[in-house]
Amino acid sequence: MATKVLIADDHQLFREGLVNLISSAPDIDVIAEAKDGKEATEQARKMKPDVVLIDIGMPQMNGIEATRIIKKENPKMKVIAVSMHSDRQFVKGVLEAGADGYLLKNCTYRQLID
């Protein structure tokens, strides 16, 4: 059974690139996209992905608050923050909100897929 993934990022080009990249991996299906944290929480409720890849800095609702809501509503859903911020406050904030992991946007394809 394929892992179902929701990708949430406010930068359309990055989001589309991530969709194309992840979709090429075996046993991973991108089932939804979101352009902000509010839409990410709505899509998580509706689509029930196994994994949410979420940016931290987004409009409407940031990724930290969206992570807090997603994990409260679906504790077994995995949330991985994908951000350009390596600052400790961002990492700490999203992990305290319940994220299961943190990847920098300059990570490798293998790190992302693993």
Side-chain angles (χ1 to χ4, degrees), residues 4 6 25-26 28 38 43 64 67 73 78 93 99 114:
K4 300 178 295 183
L6 160 63
I28 298 178
K38 183 176 183 290
Q43 288 287 16
I64 294 172
T67 296
E73 294 177 359
K78 300 296 183 196
D114 288 344

Side-chain angles (χ1 to χ4, degrees), residues 4-23 29-49 51-55 58 70:
K4 300 178 295 183
V5 177
L6 160 63
I7 297 174
D9 195 290
D10 60 322
H11 294 99
Q12 184 173 348
L13 183 62
F14 182 79
R15 189 175 65 246
E16 289 176 3
L18 215 49
V19 168
N20 289 330
L21 192 62
I22 291 173
S23 294
D29 291 333
V30 178
I31 60 166
E33 297 177 45
K35 66 183 178 307
D36 57 51
K38 183 176 183 290
E39 189 175 356
T41 60
E42 292 166 359
Q43 288 287 16
R45 280 183 204 111
K46 179 181 171 187
M47 301 301 292
K48 305 276 191 250
V51 177
V52 178
L53 294 178
I54 194 163
D55 186 21
M58 294 186 292
I70 290 168

Side-chain angles (χ1 to χ4, degrees), residues 56 64 67-68 88-99:
I56 290 179
I64 294 172
T67 296
R68 187 173 287 111
R88 175 177 268 176
Q89 75 178 21
F90 291 107
V91 177
K92 184 178 182 218
V94 77
L95 292 176
E96 286 178 348

Side-chain angles (χ1 to χ4, degrees), residues 77-92:
M77 196 175 289
K78 300 296 183 196
V79 178
I80 308 295
V82 181
S83 179
M84 66 180 187
H85 300 288
S86 60
D87 189 293
R88 175 177 268 176
Q89 75 178 21
F90 291 107
V91 177
K92 184 178 182 218

